[in-house]
Amino acid sequence: AQSYISKRVSYLGCHPLFGPSLASPIGQICALVNYHPEQTQHKAFRDCLSDAGLQIAETSPEIHDHAMSIVQALTHFVLMSFTKSVAESGISSKGLLSMRTPNFQLLYGNASRVLKLAASTTGSIQSTKDAANARECFLETAQELHRRLTDANELTEYARIIEELRSPLSGSAVDEGAATAAIAIDSLQRCEELLHKYKVSGEPFVFRHRVNGCMHVVRVTDIQPEQVSYEECTKIVEREGKQILAVGLSDCARSNYG
């Protein structure tokens, strides 16, 4: 492509590694491909992104494409394979969620995020040669691991296989990954504790639906592993000496809370 671009034209590849569902880009990564700090426009653009709170990854086209075959293509492929396996398990998603573990809940959630992406976007990510190589490597690795686990007879053999998997994956990167998962699980647990608190107290509270953005004043009536039941209600709060009224199903509430 460079042969078609005039030498007088300055260009810079930019790949934000996050989507619009995030409330803020702060802390997220943006890859800049063929960044040249001596070019005024490049530096100004990089500084603008950095000032907005983004983390910048400077890279080449080759390294970018190889990294994306793992970070995006392989990640999506694993998650899509997981959802397909769940669908063919003979147990409904609702039934599995009723007996979920924190790890299953996180994996199911991440897989669901991938499924909600535009199919054309997800498909294009899988269309490259690098993506095909990443999938092939994964399948060969998974098949070999499956064979070894199937052939194992003693508990010590299973443990040895797991230890071998751990050995190359050590250090600060793995520690950071485990810490990230712990933060996500802690966040889910705080939600569970908050729901339990309001169920026990019977007090109404306001929540915002993350998907559709609607806000509701509700009272929790029941909590099951796969479902939280609630009823819309009236809430009166004191604020700056004034009583503020919110009624769940009134026209006023619908206009205020979507």
Side-chain angles (χ1 to χ4, degrees), residues 169-189:
L169 302 173
S170 60
S172 60
V174 173
D175 292 338
E176 182 179 352
T180 299
I183 291 171
I185 291 172
D186 286 345
S187 178
L188 290 172
Q189 181 61 25

Side-chain angles (χ1 to χ4, degrees), residues 49-61:
L49 296 176
S50 182
D51 290 344
L54 280 84
Q55 300 183 39
I56 308 301
E58 300 171 13
T59 185
S60 67

Side-chain angles (χ1 to χ4, degrees), residues 57-127:
E58 300 171 13
T59 185
S60 67
E62 296 76 18
I63 294 176
H64 167 271
D65 291 350
H66 188 200
M68 290 306 102
S69 72
I70 307 298
V71 172
Q72 287 190 313
L74 180 58
T75 299
H76 289 185
F77 179 72
V78 171
L79 290 171
M80 290 187 293
S81 299
F82 169 77
T83 57
K84 182 65 173 177
S85 298
V86 168
E88 296 182 353
S89 68
I91 307 176
S92 67
S93 298
K94 185 176 181 180
L96 290 171
L97 287 171
S98 70
M99 293 182 285
R100 66 183 181 270
T101 63
N103 283 336
F104 178 86
Q105 189 174 10
L106 287 180
L107 193 59
Y108 186 87
N110 283 323
S112 298
R113 289 190 70 190
V114 171
L115 291 179
K116 290 183 71 67
L117 296 173
S120 57
T121 299
T122 308
S124 66
I125 289 173
Q126 298 295 330
S127 67

Side-chain angles (χ1 to χ4, degrees), residues 40 52 59 88 90 104 109 125 130 154 157 165 168-169 186 232 239 246:
T40 304
T59 185
E88 296 182 353
F104 178 86
I125 289 173
D130 284 334
E154 302 291 337
E157 292 183 63
L165 290 173
L169 302 173
D186 286 345
E232 302 240 8
R239 186 174 299 168

